[in-house]
Amino acid sequence: MLIEVNVEDCYGLAQQSADASNLPESAASGEIAADTWENWFSVWLENQEEYVPVAPGYEVSLRLTADAEMQALNLQYRQLDRPTDVLAFAALEVDCPQLEEMQSSEPLYLGDIVISIDTANRQAQQQGHPLKTELAWLAAHGFLHLLGWDHPDEESLTQMLDQQETLLRAIGLTIQTA
């Protein structure tokens, strides 16, 4: 399955990697190349094929940012005036008619995932794993939201966390959950 991932690094991991003193502790090891993101999302897409409408290709936007922007987005869209680790804005939730010829020839836009590097870094340190693993964990969580997964109660949260672990194993990463 073909997927294009537009990575928007507003945090500046790629630009600042030469000067690790500007990065949060362990962020330099968390830098992830755009082709790695595409590979991960491609594997995840195949893993979740049953939840994805058939299309000739797929697109996802991934934004890496800081707590300040994440807090503003969280306030604007969830009325919570605090930063969070990941937000997902699913395009498939929008009821917008598409021409049949567009559906058969254009990639399907799944939506946007926004991750706070600041929060991800703190969580990685708390969990005792690399920032790269935490970023993959959060991206997998956001990706599942784009596909319609949600966690309004403990049972659905447990199912979603199990699915995240499956996605991480599929790309060769593991994470310890509480």
Side-chain angles (χ1 to χ4, degrees):
M1 297 181 116
L2 179 64
I3 187 165
E4 182 178 331
V5 181
N6 175 31
V7 180
E8 194 174 357
D9 183 2
C10 299
Y11 196 83
L13 277 182
Q15 292 80 14
Q16 295 178 4
S17 62
D19 181 8
S21 65
N22 290 337
L23 296 174
E25 189 177 321
S26 83
S29 65
E31 185 177 332
I32 301 167
D35 61 337
T36 300
W37 284 114
E38 281 201 6
N39 183 341
W40 289 356
F41 279 100
S42 179
V43 169
W44 295 343
L45 189 63
E46 286 181 25
N47 183 281
Q48 296 294 301
E49 189 172 3
E50 66 186 274
Y51 303 104
V52 183
V54 176
Y58 302 88
E59 294 179 354
V60 171
S61 178
L62 174 64
R63 183 176 178 95
L64 305 174
T65 193
D67 272 351
E69 181 181 20
M70 190 60 105
Q71 181 168 346
L73 290 170
N74 206 21
L75 178 61
Q76 181 178 356
Y77 291 101
R78 298 178 63 221
Q79 294 72 52
L80 297 172
D81 193 12
R82 63 180 183 264
T84 189
D85 51 6
V86 62
L87 290 171
F89 301 95
L92 297 179
E93 290 178 356
V94 177
D95 195 15
C96 181
Q98 286 190 342
L99 296 175
E100 192 172 311
E101 44 197 59
M102 279 182 65
Q103 290 176 324
S104 64
S105 64
E106 296 295 319
L108 179 62
Y109 187 66
L110 298 175
D112 304 315
I113 300 170
V114 185
I115 297 174
S116 170
I117 298 295
D118 295 327
T119 300
N121 189 57
R122 284 191 304 276
Q123 291 176 173
Q125 290 177 357
Q126 290 167 355
Q127 296 293 323
H129 56 245
L131 178 59
K132 177 180 180 178
T133 301
E134 185 69 17
L135 292 173
W137 176 256
L138 295 174
H141 187 85
F143 185 68
L144 290 172
H145 276 302
L146 296 187
L147 300 183
W149 288 77
D150 202 5
H151 46 85
D153 54 48
E154 282 300 315
E155 182 181 339
S156 56
L157 176 61
T158 299
Q159 291 173 349
M160 193 166 174
L161 294 175
D162 289 346
Q163 200 59 231
Q164 279 175 251
E165 287 183 40
T166 299
L167 294 180
L168 259 60
R169 280 193 305 274
I171 59 170
L173 295 175
T174 58
I175 194 164
Q176 299 298 320
T177 56

